[in-house]
Coordinates of all heavy atoms in Angstrom, one line a residue:
M630 N 20.8 6.8 -6.4 CA 20.1 6.2 -5.4 C 18.6 6.7 -5.4 O 18.4 7.9 -5.5 CB 20.7 6.4 -4.2 CG 20.0 5.6 -2.9 SD 21.0 4.9 -1.7 CE 21.3 6.2 -0.6
S631 N 17.6 6.0 -5.1 CA 16.2 6.4 -5.1 C 15.9 6.9 -3.7 O 16.6 6.8 -2.8 CB 15.3 5.2 -5.5 OG 15.2 4.2 -4.5
V632 N 14.7 7.4 -3.6 CA 14.2 8.0 -2.4 C 14.0 6.8 -1.3 O 13.4 5.7 -1.6 CB 12.9 8.7 -2.6 CG1 12.3 9.2 -1.3 CG2 13.0 9.8 -3.6
K633 N 14.4 7.0 -0.1 CA 14.1 6.0 0.9 C 12.8 6.3 1.4 O 12.5 7.4 1.9 CB 15.2 6.2 2.0 CG 16.6 5.7 1.5 CD 17.6 5.8 2.6 CE 19.0 5.4 2.3 NZ 20.0 5.4 3.3
R634 N 12.0 5.2 1.7 CA 10.6 5.3 2.2 C 10.5 4.4 3.4 O 10.9 3.3 3.5 CB 9.6 4.7 1.2 CG 9.6 5.6 0.0 CD 8.7 5.0 -1.1 NE 8.9 5.7 -2.3 CZ 8.0 6.5 -2.8 NH1 6.9 6.8 -2.2 NH2 8.1 7.2 -3.9
F635 N 10.0 5.0 4.6 CA 9.8 4.2 5.8 C 8.7 3.1 5.6 O 7.7 3.4 4.9 CB 9.3 5.2 6.9 CG 10.5 5.8 7.6 CD1 10.8 7.0 7.2 CD2 11.2 5.1 8.6 CE1 11.9 7.7 7.8 CE2 12.3 5.7 9.2 CZ 12.7 7.0 8.8
I636 N 8.8 1.9 6.2 CA 8.0 0.8 6.2 C 7.2 1.0 7.5 O 7.7 0.7 8.6 CB 8.7 -0.5 6.1 CG1 9.6 -0.5 4.8 CG2 7.7 -1.6 5.9 CD1 10.5 -1.6 4.8
A637 N 5.9 1.4 7.3 CA 5.1 1.5 8.6 C 4.8 0.2 9.3 O 4.4 -0.8 8.6 CB 3.8 2.2 8.2
G638 N 5.1 0.2 10.6 CA 4.8 -0.9 11.5 C 5.8 -2.0 11.4 O 5.7 -3.0 12.1
A639 N 6.9 -1.8 10.6 CA 8.0 -2.8 10.6 C 8.9 -2.8 11.8 O 9.2 -1.7 12.3 CB 8.7 -2.7 9.2
V640 N 9.3 -4.0 12.3 CA 10.2 -4.1 13.4 C 11.6 -4.5 12.9 O 11.6 -5.5 12.1 CB 9.7 -5.0 14.4 CG1 10.7 -5.2 15.6 CG2 8.4 -4.5 15.0
C641 N 12.7 -3.9 13.3 CA 14.1 -4.2 12.9 C 14.3 -5.5 13.5 O 14.2 -5.8 14.7 CB 15.1 -3.2 13.3 SG 16.8 -3.5 13.0
P642 N 14.8 -6.5 12.7 CA 15.2 -7.8 13.2 C 16.5 -7.8 14.2 O 16.6 -8.7 14.8 CB 15.4 -8.6 12.0 CG 15.6 -7.7 10.9 CD 15.0 -6.4 11.3
R643 N 17.3 -6.8 14.0 CA 18.5 -6.7 14.8 C 18.2 -6.0 16.2 O 18.6 -6.6 17.3 CB 19.6 -6.0 14.1 CG 20.9 -6.0 14.9 CD 22.1 -5.3 14.2 NE 22.5 -5.9 13.0 CZ 23.1 -5.5 12.0 NH1 23.5 -4.2 12.0 NH2 23.4 -6.1 11.0
C644 N 17.7 -4.8 16.1 CA 17.6 -4.0 17.5 C 16.2 -4.1 17.9 O 15.9 -3.7 19.1 CB 18.0 -2.6 17.2 SG 17.0 -1.6 16.1
G645 N 15.2 -4.4 17.2 CA 13.8 -4.6 17.7 C 13.0 -3.2 17.7 O 11.9 -3.2 18.2
E646 N 13.5 -2.2 17.1 CA 12.9 -0.9 17.1 C 11.8 -0.9 16.0 O 12.1 -1.5 14.9 CB 13.9 0.2 16.9 CG 14.9 0.6 18.0 CD 14.1 1.1 19.1 OE1 13.3 2.1 18.9 OE2 14.6 0.9 20.3
M647 N 10.7 -0.3 16.4 CA 9.5 -0.3 15.4 C 9.6 1.0 14.6 O 10.2 2.1 15.1 CB 8.2 -0.4 16.1 CG 7.1 -0.4 15.1 SD 5.4 -0.4 16.0 CE 5.1 -2.1 16.0
D648 N 9.1 1.0 13.4 CA 9.1 2.2 12.5 C 10.5 2.9 12.2 O 10.5 4.0 12.2 CB 8.1 3.2 13.1 CG 6.7 2.8 13.1 OD1 6.4 1.7 12.2 OD2 5.8 3.2 13.8
R649 N 11.4 2.1 12.2 CA 12.9 2.6 11.9 C 13.4 1.9 10.5 O 14.5 2.4 10.2 CB 13.8 2.2 12.9 CG 13.4 2.8 14.4 CD 13.7 4.3 14.4 NE 13.6 4.8 15.8 CZ 12.5 5.3 16.3 NH1 11.3 5.3 15.5 NH2 12.5 5.8 17.5
L650 N 12.6 1.1 9.9 CA 13.2 0.5 8.7 C 12.7 1.3 7.5 O 11.6 1.7 7.4 CB 12.6 -0.9 8.5 CG 13.1 -2.0 9.4 CD1 12.4 -3.4 9.1 CD2 14.6 -2.2 9.2
V651 N 13.6 1.5 6.6 CA 13.4 2.1 5.4 C 13.7 1.3 4.1 O 14.4 0.2 4.3 CB 14.2 3.5 5.2 CG1 13.8 4.5 6.2 CG2 15.6 3.1 5.3
S652 N 13.0 1.5 3.0 CA 13.2 0.7 1.8 C 13.7 1.6 0.8 O 13.2 2.7 0.6 CB 11.9 -0.1 1.5 OG 12.0 -0.7 0.2
Y653 N 14.6 1.1 0.0 CA 15.1 2.0 -1.2 C 15.6 1.0 -2.3 O 15.8 -0.2 -2.0 CB 16.2 2.9 -0.7 CG 17.4 2.3 -0.3 CD1 18.6 2.0 -1.2 CD2 17.6 2.0 1.0 CE1 19.6 1.4 -0.8 CE2 18.8 1.4 1.5 CZ 19.8 1.1 0.6 OH 20.9 0.5 1.0
E654 N 15.7 1.5 -3.6 CA 16.2 0.7 -4.6 C 17.4 1.4 -5.3 O 17.4 2.7 -5.4 CB 15.1 0.6 -5.6 CG 15.4 -0.3 -6.7 CD 14.1 -0.5 -7.7 OE1 13.0 -0.1 -7.3 OE2 14.3 -1.2 -8.7
N655 N 18.4 0.6 -5.7 CA 19.5 1.2 -6.4 C 19.8 0.1 -7.6 O 19.1 -0.8 -7.7 CB 20.7 1.5 -5.6 CG 21.3 0.3 -4.8 OD1 21.2 -0.8 -5.3 ND2 21.9 0.6 -3.8
E656 N 20.9 0.4 -8.2 CA 21.3 -0.5 -9.4 C 21.6 -2.0 -8.9 O 21.5 -2.9 -9.7 CB 22.5 0.0 -10.2 CG 23.8 0.2 -9.4 CD 23.8 1.4 -8.5 OE1 23.0 2.4 -8.8 OE2 24.8 1.5 -7.7
D657 N 21.8 -2.2 -7.7 CA 22.1 -3.5 -7.1 C 20.9 -4.3 -6.7 O 21.0 -5.4 -6.4 CB 23.1 -3.4 -5.9 CG 24.5 -2.9 -6.5 OD1 24.8 -3.1 -7.6 OD2 25.1 -2.2 -5.7
G658 N 19.7 -3.6 -6.6 CA 18.5 -4.3 -6.1 C 17.7 -3.4 -5.3 O 17.9 -2.2 -5.1
V659 N 16.8 -4.1 -4.5 CA 15.9 -3.4 -3.5 C 16.5 -3.8 -2.1 O 16.7 -4.9 -1.8 CB 14.5 -3.9 -3.7 CG1 13.6 -3.2 -2.6 CG2 13.9 -3.5 -5.0
F660 N 16.7 -2.7 -1.3 CA 17.2 -3.0 0.1 C 16.2 -2.4 1.1 O 15.5 -1.5 0.8 CB 18.5 -2.3 0.1 CG 19.6 -2.9 -0.7 CD1 19.8 -2.5 -2.0 CD2 20.4 -3.8 -0.2 CE1 20.7 -3.0 -2.8 CE2 21.4 -4.3 -1.0 CZ 21.5 -4.0 -2.3
K661 N 16.4 -2.9 2.4 CA 15.8 -2.3 3.5 C 16.8 -2.1 4.6 O 17.8 -3.0 4.7 CB 14.5 -3.1 4.1 CG 14.9 -4.6 4.6 CD 13.6 -5.2 4.9 CE 14.0 -6.6 5.4 NZ 12.8 -7.4 5.8
E662 N 16.8 -1.1 5.3 CA 17.8 -0.7 6.3 C 17.2 -0.1 7.5 O 16.0 0.6 7.4 CB 18.9 0.0 5.8 CG 18.6 1.4 5.5 CD 19.9 2.2 5.0 OE1 20.8 1.6 4.4 OE2 19.9 3.4 5.2
C663 N 17.7 -0.2 8.7 CA 17.4 0.4 9.9 C 18.1 1.7 10.0 O 19.3 1.7 10.0 CB 17.5 -0.6 11.1 SG 17.0 0.0 12.6
V664 N 17.4 2.7 10.4 CA 18.2 4.0 10.6 C 18.6 4.1 12.1 O 19.3 5.0 12.4 CB 17.1 5.2 10.3 CG1 16.9 5.2 8.8 CG2 15.9 5.1 11.2
A665 N 18.2 3.2 13.0 CA 18.6 3.1 14.3 C 20.0 2.4 14.6 O 20.7 2.9 15.3 CB 17.5 2.6 15.3
C666 N 20.0 1.3 13.9 CA 21.3 0.4 14.2 C 22.1 0.1 12.9 O 23.0 -0.7 13.0 CB 20.9 -0.8 14.8 SG 20.0 -2.1 13.7
D667 N 21.8 0.7 11.8 CA 22.5 0.4 10.5 C 22.4 -1.1 9.9 O 23.3 -1.4 9.2 CB 24.1 0.7 10.7 CG 24.3 2.1 11.0 OD1 23.4 3.0 10.5 OD2 25.2 2.5 11.7
F668 N 21.4 -1.8 10.3 CA 21.1 -3.0 9.8 C 20.8 -2.8 8.3 O 20.0 -1.9 8.0 CB 19.9 -3.7 10.6 CG 19.2 -4.9 9.8 CD1 19.8 -6.1 9.8 CD2 18.1 -4.7 9.0 CE1 19.3 -7.2 9.1 CE2 17.5 -5.7 8.4 CZ 18.1 -6.9 8.4
E669 N 21.2 -3.8 7.4 CA 20.9 -3.6 6.0 C 20.7 -5.0 5.4 O 21.4 -5.9 5.8 CB 22.0 -2.8 5.2 CG 21.7 -2.6 3.8 CD 22.7 -1.8 3.1 OE1 23.9 -2.1 3.3 OE2 22.3 -0.9 2.3
E670 N 19.6 -5.1 4.6 CA 19.4 -6.5 4.0 C 18.8 -6.3 2.5 O 18.0 -5.4 2.3 CB 18.4 -7.2 4.9 CG 17.9 -8.6 4.3 CD 16.9 -9.2 5.3 OE1 15.7 -8.6 5.4 OE2 17.2 -10.2 5.8
K671 N 19.3 -7.0 1.7 CA 18.9 -7.0 0.2 C 17.6 -7.9 0.2 O 17.6 -9.1 0.7 CB 19.9 -7.5 -0.7 CG 19.4 -7.5 -2.1 CD 20.5 -7.9 -3.1 CE 20.1 -7.8 -4.6 NZ 21.0 -8.2 -5.4
Q672 N 16.6 -7.4 -0.4 CA 15.4 -8.3 -0.7 C 15.6 -9.1 -1.7 O 15.8 -8.7 -2.9 CB 14.1 -7.3 -0.8 CG 13.8 -6.6 0.5 CD 12.6 -5.7 0.3 OE1 12.7 -4.6 0.0 NE2 11.5 -6.4 0.6
V673 N 15.4 -10.5 -1.5 CA 15.6 -11.4 -2.6 C 14.4 -11.7 -3.5 O 14.5 -11.8 -4.7 CB 16.2 -12.7 -2.1 CG1 17.6 -12.9 -2.3 CG2 15.7 -13.0 -0.7
A674 N 13.2 -11.6 -3.0 CA 12.1 -11.8 -3.7 C 11.1 -10.6 -3.7 O 10.9 -10.0 -2.6 CB 11.3 -13.1 -3.2
Q675 N 10.7 -10.2 -5.0 CA 9.8 -9.2 -5.0 C 8.5 -9.8 -5.4 O 8.3 -10.5 -6.4 CB 10.2 -8.1 -6.1 CG 11.3 -7.2 -5.7 CD 10.7 -6.2 -4.6 OE1 10.1 -6.5 -3.7 NE2 11.0 -4.9 -4.9
V676 N 7.5 -9.7 -4.6 CA 6.1 -10.2 -4.9 C 5.2 -9.1 -5.3 O 5.1 -8.1 -4.6 CB 5.6 -10.9 -3.6 CG1 4.2 -11.4 -3.9 CG2 6.5 -11.9 -3.3
E677 N 4.5 -9.2 -6.5 CA 3.5 -8.2 -6.9 C 2.1 -8.7 -6.5 O 1.8 -9.9 -7.0 CB 3.6 -8.1 -8.4 CG 5.0 -7.3 -8.8 CD 5.0 -6.0 -8.4 OE1 4.0 -5.2 -8.2 OE2 6.1 -5.4 -8.1
L678 N 1.4 -8.1 -5.7 CA 0.1 -8.5 -5.2 C -1.0 -7.7 -6.0 O -0.9 -6.6 -6.2 CB 0.0 -8.3 -3.7 CG 0.9 -9.0 -2.8 CD1 0.6 -8.6 -1.4 CD2 0.7 -10.5 -3.0
D679 N -2.0 -8.4 -6.4 CA -3.1 -7.8 -6.9 C -3.8 -7.1 -5.8 O -3.9 -7.3 -4.6 CB -4.1 -8.9 -7.5 CG -3.5 -9.5 -8.7 OD1 -2.7 -8.9 -9.4 OD2 -3.9 -10.6 -9.0
E680 N -4.7 -6.0 -6.3 CA -5.4 -5.2 -5.3 C -6.5 -6.1 -4.7 O -7.2 -6.8 -5.6 CB -6.0 -3.9 -6.1 CG -6.9 -3.1 -5.1 CD -7.3 -1.8 -5.9 OE1 -7.1 -1.7 -7.1 OE2 -8.0 -1.1 -5.1
L681 N -6.8 -6.0 -3.5 CA -7.9 -6.8 -2.9 C -9.2 -6.2 -3.3 O -9.4 -5.0 -3.4 CB -7.8 -6.7 -1.3 CG -6.5 -7.4 -0.7 CD1 -6.5 -7.2 0.7 CD2 -6.5 -8.9 -1.0
G682 N -10.2 -7.1 -3.6 CA -11.5 -6.7 -3.9 C -12.3 -6.1 -2.7 O -12.3 -6.8 -1.7
T683 N -12.8 -5.0 -2.9 CA -13.5 -4.4 -1.7 C -14.9 -3.9 -2.3 O -15.2 -3.9 -3.5 CB -12.8 -3.2 -1.1 OG1 -12.7 -2.2 -2.1 CG2 -11.5 -3.5 -0.6
R684 N -15.7 -3.4 -1.5 CA -17.0 -3.0 -2.0 C -16.8 -1.6 -2.8 O -17.8 -1.2 -3.6 CB -18.0 -2.7 -0.8 CG -17.6 -1.5 0.1 CD -18.4 -1.3 1.3 NE -18.0 -0.4 2.2 CZ -18.2 0.8 2.1 NH1 -18.8 1.4 1.1 NH2 -17.7 1.7 3.0
V685 N -15.7 -1.0 -2.7 CA -15.4 0.2 -3.6 C -15.0 -0.2 -5.0 O -15.4 0.5 -6.0 CB -14.4 1.0 -2.8 CG1 -14.0 2.2 -3.7 CG2 -14.8 1.5 -1.5
N686 N -14.2 -1.2 -5.1 CA -13.7 -1.5 -6.4 C -14.3 -2.8 -7.0 O -13.8 -3.2 -8.1 CB -12.0 -1.6 -6.5 CG -11.7 -2.8 -5.6 OD1 -12.4 -3.6 -5.1 ND2 -10.4 -2.8 -5.4
F687 N -15.3 -3.4 -6.5 CA -15.9 -4.6 -7.0 C -17.4 -4.5 -6.9 O -17.9 -4.1 -5.8 CB -15.3 -5.8 -6.2 CG -15.8 -7.1 -6.7 CD1 -15.2 -7.7 -7.8 CD2 -16.9 -7.8 -6.1 CE1 -15.6 -8.9 -8.3 CE2 -17.3 -8.9 -6.6 CZ -16.7 -9.5 -7.7
N688 N -18.1 -5.0 -7.9 CA -19.6 -4.9 -7.9 C -20.1 -6.4 -7.7 O -19.4 -7.3 -8.1 CB -20.3 -4.1 -8.9 CG -20.0 -4.8 -10.3 OD1 -20.1 -6.0 -10.5 ND2 -19.8 -3.9 -11.3
E689 N -21.3 -6.5 -7.2 CA -21.9 -7.9 -7.1 C -22.1 -8.6 -8.4 O -22.4 -9.8 -8.4 CB -23.3 -7.8 -6.3 CG -24.3 -6.9 -7.0 CD -25.5 -6.7 -6.1 OE1 -25.2 -6.1 -5.1 OE2 -26.6 -7.1 -6.5
F690 N -22.1 -7.9 -9.6 CA -22.4 -8.5 -10.8 C -21.1 -9.2 -11.5 O -21.0 -9.6 -12.6 CB -23.1 -7.6 -11.7 CG -24.4 -7.2 -11.2 CD1 -24.5 -5.8 -10.7 CD2 -25.5 -8.0 -10.9 CE1 -25.7 -5.3 -10.1 CE2 -26.6 -7.5 -10.5 CZ -26.7 -6.2 -10.0
G691 N -20.0 -8.9 -10.8 CA -18.7 -9.4 -11.3 C -17.9 -8.2 -11.9 O -18.5 -7.3 -12.4
G692 N -16.6 -8.2 -11.8 CA -15.8 -7.3 -12.6 C -15.6 -6.0 -11.6 O -16.1 -6.1 -10.5
D693 N -15.0 -5.0 -12.2 CA -14.9 -3.8 -11.5 C -15.9 -2.7 -11.9 O -16.6 -3.0 -12.9 CB -13.4 -3.2 -11.7 CG -13.1 -2.9 -13.1 OD1 -14.0 -2.6 -13.9 OD2 -12.0 -2.8 -13.4
D694 N -15.9 -1.7 -11.1 CA -17.0 -0.7 -11.3 C -16.6 0.4 -12.3 O -17.3 1.4 -12.6 CB -17.4 0.0 -10.0 CG -18.3 -0.8 -9.2 OD1 -19.0 -1.7 -9.8 OD2 -18.3 -0.7 -7.9
S695 N -15.4 0.2 -13.1 CA -14.9 1.2 -13.9 C -15.8 1.5 -15.1 O -15.8 2.5 -15.6 CB -13.4 1.0 -14.2 OG -13.3 -0.2 -14.9
S696 N -16.4 0.4 -15.5 CA -17.2 0.5 -16.7 C -18.7 0.7 -16.5 O -19.6 0.7 -17.4 CB -17.0 -0.7 -17.7 OG -17.5 -1.9 -17.0
S697 N -19.1 0.7 -15.3 CA -20.6 0.9 -14.9 C -21.1 2.2 -15.2 O -20.4 3.3 -15.1 CB -20.9 0.5 -13.5 OG -20.3 1.4 -12.6
D698 N -22.4 2.3 -15.5 CA -23.0 3.7 -15.7 C -23.3 4.4 -14.4 O -23.5 3.8 -13.4 CB -24.4 3.4 -16.4 CG -24.3 2.8 -17.9 OD1 -23.3 3.1 -18.4 OD2 -25.2 2.1 -18.3
V699 N -23.2 5.7 -14.5 CA -23.3 6.5 -13.4 C -24.5 7.4 -13.5 O -24.8 7.8 -14.6 CB -22.0 7.5 -13.3 CG1 -22.3 8.5 -12.1 CG2 -20.7 6.8 -13.2
S700 N -25.3 7.3 -12.4 CA -26.6 8.1 -12.5 C -26.7 8.9 -11.2 O -26.2 8.4 -10.2 CB -27.8 7.3 -12.6 OG -27.8 6.3 -11.6
P701 N -27.3 10.2 -11.3 CA -27.4 10.9 -10.0 C -28.5 10.3 -9.1 O -29.3 9.6 -9.5 CB -27.9 12.2 -10.7 CG -28.6 12.0 -12.0 CD -27.8 10.7 -12.5
V702 N -28.3 10.7 -7.9 CA -29.2 10.3 -6.8 C -30.3 11.4 -6.6 O -29.9 12.6 -6.6 CB -28.4 10.1 -5.5 CG1 -29.3 9.7 -4.4 CG2 -27.4 9.0 -5.7
K703 N -31.5 11.0 -6.5 CA -32.6 12.0 -6.3 C -32.9 11.9 -4.8 O -33.2 10.8 -4.3 CB -33.8 11.6 -7.2 CG -33.9 12.1 -8.5 CD -35.3 11.8 -9.1 CE -35.4 12.5 -10.5 NZ -36.7 12.2 -11.1
I704 N -32.9 13.1 -4.2 CA -33.4 13.1 -2.8 C -34.8 13.6 -2.8 O -35.2 14.6 -3.3 CB -32.4 14.0 -2.0 CG1 -31.0 13.6 -2.1 CG2 -33.0 14.2 -0.6 CD1 -30.0 14.6 -1.4
L705 N -35.7 12.8 -2.1 CA -37.1 12.9 -2.1 C -37.5 13.6 -0.9 O -36.9 13.4 0.2 CB -37.8 11.7 -2.3 CG -37.5 10.8 -3.5 CD1 -38.2 9.5 -3.4 CD2 -37.9 11.5 -4.8
D706 N -38.5 14.6 -1.0 CA -39.0 15.3 0.1 C -40.1 14.5 0.8 O -41.1 14.2 0.1 CB -39.5 16.7 -0.2 CG -39.9 17.5 0.9 OD1 -39.8 17.0 2.2 OD2 -40.4 18.6 0.7
P707 N -39.9 14.0 2.1 CA -40.9 13.0 2.6 C -42.2 13.8 2.9 O -43.3 13.1 3.1 CB -40.2 12.6 4.0 CG -39.2 13.5 4.2 CD -38.8 14.2 2.9
N708 N -42.2 15.1 3.0 CA -43.4 15.9 3.3 C -44.2 16.2 2.0 O -45.4 16.6 2.1 CB -43.0 17.2 3.9 CG -42.4 17.0 5.3 OD1 -42.8 16.0 6.0 ND2 -41.4 17.8 5.7
S709 N -43.7 16.1 0.8 CA -44.4 16.3 -0.5 C -45.2 15.2 -0.8 O -44.7 14.0 -0.7 CB -43.4 16.8 -1.5 OG -42.8 15.8 -1.9
K710 N -46.4 15.4 -1.5 CA -47.3 14.3 -1.9 C -47.5 14.3 -3.3 O -47.5 15.0 -4.2 CB -48.6 14.3 -1.2 CG -48.3 14.1 0.3 CD -49.6 13.9 0.9 CE -49.4 13.6 2.5 NZ -50.6 13.2 3.1

């Protein structure tokens, strides 16, 4: 049996308690269960989602920033001429 991980913000459909659901995987599939009321359910569909594009992992020229050139930032002294 694999490690049980809490599902943050999830509400148990049986007892209504929040933050009591855990998810785990074994040879029979992926399950979620409530540690408060012993509710257990097998997950039938596993959906793999792509990472959402953000300003951190996406640039305005298209694609990701993993291949872009890196250059240091120069800090200028406003008092020097």
Side-chain angles (χ1 to χ4, degrees):
M630 180 144 88
S631 68
V632 177
K633 293 183 178 183
R634 297 174 187 253
F635 277 94
I636 306 170
V640 176
C641 176
R643 183 182 293 159
C644 69
E646 291 287 325
M647 182 183 269
D648 293 335
R649 300 290 192 265
L650 287 179
V651 294
S652 176
Y653 65 92
E654 186 175 354
N655 64 22
E656 61 276 349
D657 296 327
V659 178
F660 294 86
K661 63 182 177 183
E662 73 177 26
C663 178
V664 297
C666 72
D667 295 329
F668 165 80
E669 186 177 43
E670 178 179 69
K671 182 177 181 178
Q672 292 184 270
V673 259
Q675 284 288 50
V676 178
E677 293 292 328
L678 298 175
D679 291 336
E680 181 179 3
L681 295 175
T683 65
R684 64 183 175 85
V685 175
N686 64 6
F687 185 81
N688 66 39
E689 63 190 58
F690 304 110
D693 60 24
D694 282 336
S695 61
S696 63
S697 64
D698 293 332
V699 177
S700 59
V702 176
K703 275 188 172 180
I704 300 176
L705 303 174
D706 183 4
N708 297 323
S709 71
K710 292 188 179 193

